[in-house]
Amino acid sequence: MPLTLYNTLSRRKEPFEPLDPTRVGLYVCGPTVYDRAHIGNARAYVVFDLLYRLLGETYGRDHVRYVRNITDVEDKINAAARQNHEPIAALTARTTAAFHRDLAALNTLPPDVEPRATEYIPQMIAMIERLIASGHAYVAAGNETAGHVLFAVATDPHYGEFSRRSRDEMIAGARVEVAPYKRDPADFVLWKPSGADLPGWESPWGRGRPGWHIECSAMSEMHLGETFDIHGGGLDLVFPHHENEIAQSASAHGGRPLARFWVHNGLLTDAGAKMSKSLGNITTVRKLLDEGARGEEIRLALLATHYRDPLDWTNSRLRQARQTLDRFYRALSLPRAAILERFGEVEEALRPVREALEDDMNTPLALTELHELVGAVNRGSADAERSAMQGALATGGRLMGILESDPVEWLRGSTPADGDQIEERIAARVAARGRRQFAEADRIRAELAAEGIILEDKPDGTTTWRRGG
């Protein structure tokens, strides 16, 4: 079946067809690098990594261009650098590197292009100049407000249609600054002046820095063109960020649309409240990893709920994800037949998983189908049949960015040093059994069981182990 996506632009699911099947364009709003990514941030990047994988499966990875920007000039960055007493460049370099490490732990693929806002200032200035020339932007008047350039929302008759908000709702939702240099309270900043203590670049309006919204418009135009296939981000970006992106890009491009599909993931909450740095209720990816969670567990916990639904984060979600992955990996760890499966058998078994993902990335249904495959593996009476189900399970998992570890190592769930110690104790147990010291062998087994280590004695005399859970 064709890939269908819920399009925020139309508020319905639509079959996805790219402008050009040989060059599918995907742009996702990336991080503002002033602090660690929390799992609310991570949800968006995991969701769009899944979409990137699906597009690559359908059109070929070489024909998909995934652009995810880095916002490295923004007032939050300036404030964080002052608070930390560190140079802005050092802060953005450190937090960008941390962001990359955290996302790699979640099995996300790197984007094809990762533009940094500070490298595209000339393109932003050029777009602002076009907007001024076409009457869609203006330079604030007065000496005290010199250096401010604003987008005039009144010049865009479609402003507000994307977010479907009234004028009052838009002004309240944007938390606009009531400033005397604005012609309209809803007008938003394209360029602002910078003092000597702030990042700044020379422009026709004096030394300054860009507003947040113009950054994405300029970078997406540079790498994907004036109109591209899919623009993604969190639901909280619909307004004002994406509404403003649409307004300024369409105005700069003669009314042509910025993106044909707009895809937004639901928000992540903590005890029902939106998880955000400003509320102080965040859980970072790094904290979870440091507490012993594996990246694949975090990824699955984020994908277990449909991407458009809200997700309330709890530790029980991680436990459930761990149990699910253990079940999947146990099925993959069973001996696989050396003979080849019958032609097309793996693909046929995989079809329900693929169809679920192609239906607006229905990951809960896809996981249900993976569980069905596990059941088929465990019930398989013929080696070839079981092998085919294992192949479908592994392929379906990889489509979702999971089941990419070695099954035996996953089930052991230990560091190499831990593994060496466990192997030594298993060897001591085997030796004890060989000497017919069964009480000692049972003691070692009981000790390991108390630590969550489950032993399995094989008919050939060998013993394997895994962690319980």
Side-chain angles (χ1 to χ4, degrees):
M1 63 179 291
L3 174 65
T4 63
L5 295 171
Y6 183 86
N7 191 349
T8 306
L9 192 64
S10 63
R11 300 300 198 274
R12 64 174 183 268
K13 285 201 298 187
E14 300 176 4
F16 173 72
E17 292 184 7
L19 287 166
D20 178 357
T22 66
R23 190 179 183 275
V24 182
L26 168 64
Y27 185 92
V28 174
C29 292
T32 300
V33 285
Y34 69 99
D35 204 351
R36 282 277 191 179
H38 62 68
I39 52 174
N41 307 137
R43 186 185 193 192
Y45 304 127
V46 167
V47 165
F48 290 104
D49 176 72
L50 173 61
L51 180 55
Y52 181 38
R53 291 169 183 262
L54 292 176
L55 292 171
E57 279 286 315
T58 303
Y59 300 100
R61 186 67 57 79
D62 293 341
H63 296 315
V64 180
R65 189 170 179 81
Y66 176 22
V67 181
R68 187 187 67 211
N69 73 292
I70 295 285
T71 295
D72 57 353
V73 52
E74 212 266 345
D75 288 347
K76 289 180 181 178
I77 297 173
N78 303 336
R82 283 195 300 270
Q83 183 177 350
N84 298 344
H85 304 290
E86 67 179 317
I88 288 172
L91 170 65
T92 58
R94 175 172 59 80
T95 50
T96 299
F99 171 76
H100 288 153
R101 289 194 297 272
D102 289 347
L103 260 62
L106 302 184
N107 287 356
T108 65
L109 301 171
D112 298 298
V113 186
E114 190 176 58
R116 302 187 182 208
T118 53
E119 299 171 352
Y120 292 82
I121 301 298
Q123 289 82 1
M124 297 173 201
I125 291 173
M127 181 173 280
I128 295 170
E129 288 180 314
R130 296 203 305 271
L131 290 169
I132 293 173
S134 60
H136 291 287
Y138 60 93
V139 182
N143 292 333
E144 293 184 1
T145 59
H148 283 89
V149 183
L150 296 104
F151 183 87
V153 298
T155 66
D156 180 4
H158 303 292
Y159 190 79
E161 290 180 2
F162 178 68
S163 57
R164 300 188 180 183
R165 298 188 179 202
S166 68
R167 176 180 171 79
D168 290 343
E169 288 174 326
M170 286 189 291
I171 293 175
R175 300 187 298 276
V176 298
E177 177 188 4
V178 178
Y181 52 80
K182 289 186 176 184
R183 295 177 184 173
D184 185 307
D187 292 350
F188 57 89
V189 171
L190 300 173
W191 190 263
K192 65 181 78 173
S194 289
D197 62 330
L198 293 173
W201 292 263
E202 292 304 321
S203 78
W205 320 287
R207 184 177 183 275
R209 61 195 190 279
W212 175 35
H213 312 301
I214 197 69
E215 296 178 5
C216 286
S217 286
M219 289 185 283
S220 64
E221 177 192 57
M222 184 69 182
H223 290 288
L224 296 174
E226 294 182 355
T227 300
F228 52 91
D229 293 304
I230 304 171
H231 195 312
L235 192 63
D236 55 332
L237 297 182
V238 170
F239 186 87
H241 186 48
H242 289 166
E243 185 79 64
N244 291 352
E245 272 192 76
I246 290 170
Q248 63 200 9
S249 292
S251 298
H253 300 147
R256 288 179 289 279
L258 173 58
R260 298 171 55 251
F261 278 75
W262 288 81
V263 179
H264 293 92
N265 63 277
L267 300 182
L268 190 145
T269 58
D270 176 67
K274 176 188 173 184
M275 186 175 291
S276 69
K277 296 182 176 78
S278 60
L279 294 176
N281 64 342
I282 64 170
T283 298
T284 65
V285 173
R286 177 47 47 189
K287 180 176 183 290
L288 292 173
L289 293 170
D290 288 345
E291 290 175 348
R294 285 180 279 190
E296 201 167 318
E297 296 166 1
I298 300 172
R299 181 185 180 97
L300 183 57
L302 293 171
L303 290 176
T305 299
H306 192 279
Y307 81 93
R308 287 194 285 114
D309 291 337
L311 190 159
D312 197 42
W313 185 261
T314 61
N315 287 333
S316 63
R317 288 188 178 277
L318 269 181
R319 287 195 296 272
Q320 181 61 51
R322 183 179 304 117
Q323 292 167 2
T324 295
L325 288 167
D326 285 350
R327 183 171 190 257
F328 291 171
Y329 275 116
R330 278 196 290 272
L332 292 176
S333 69
L334 296 174
R336 191 166 179 182
I339 60 174
L340 295 175
E341 301 88 12
R342 291 184 291 273
F343 178 75
E345 198 168 8
V346 171
E347 188 59 32
E348 180 60 24
L350 179 63
R351 182 174 53 80
V353 179
R354 193 186 298 277
E355 288 181 349
L357 294 175
E358 289 173 343
D359 182 13
D360 193 33
M361 295 188 285
N362 190 340
T363 51
L365 180 56
L367 288 170
T368 297
E369 299 297 346
L370 290 179
H371 278 289
E372 289 293 325
L373 286 172
V374 171
V377 169
N378 294 333
R379 293 190 304 270
S381 57
D383 288 346
E385 178 186 2
R386 186 175 70 187
S387 183
M389 297 303 106
Q390 287 175 310
L393 174 62
T395 303
R398 284 194 295 271
L399 277 175
M400 296 181 65
I402 60 173
L403 305 185
E404 296 183 351
S405 301
D406 176 83
V408 173
E409 292 303 317
W410 173 273
L411 293 170
R412 288 178 174 178
S414 60
T415 64
D418 289 339
D420 289 345
Q421 294 173 7
I422 293 168
E423 294 285 359
E424 289 175 3
R425 293 160 73 184
I426 291 174
R429 174 176 174 267
V430 171
R433 294 176 70 189
R435 296 191 298 269
R436 303 185 65 80
Q437 297 173 341
F438 298 116
E440 173 65 8
D442 290 344
R443 183 191 66 78
I444 294 173
R445 184 183 192 114
E447 277 187 357
L448 289 169
E451 297 170 16
I453 307 301
I454 298 173
L455 304 186
E456 295 181 7
D457 295 321
K458 301 294 185 181
D460 63 1
T462 61
T463 299
T464 62
W465 63 273
R466 61 179 173 84
R467 292 195 182 274

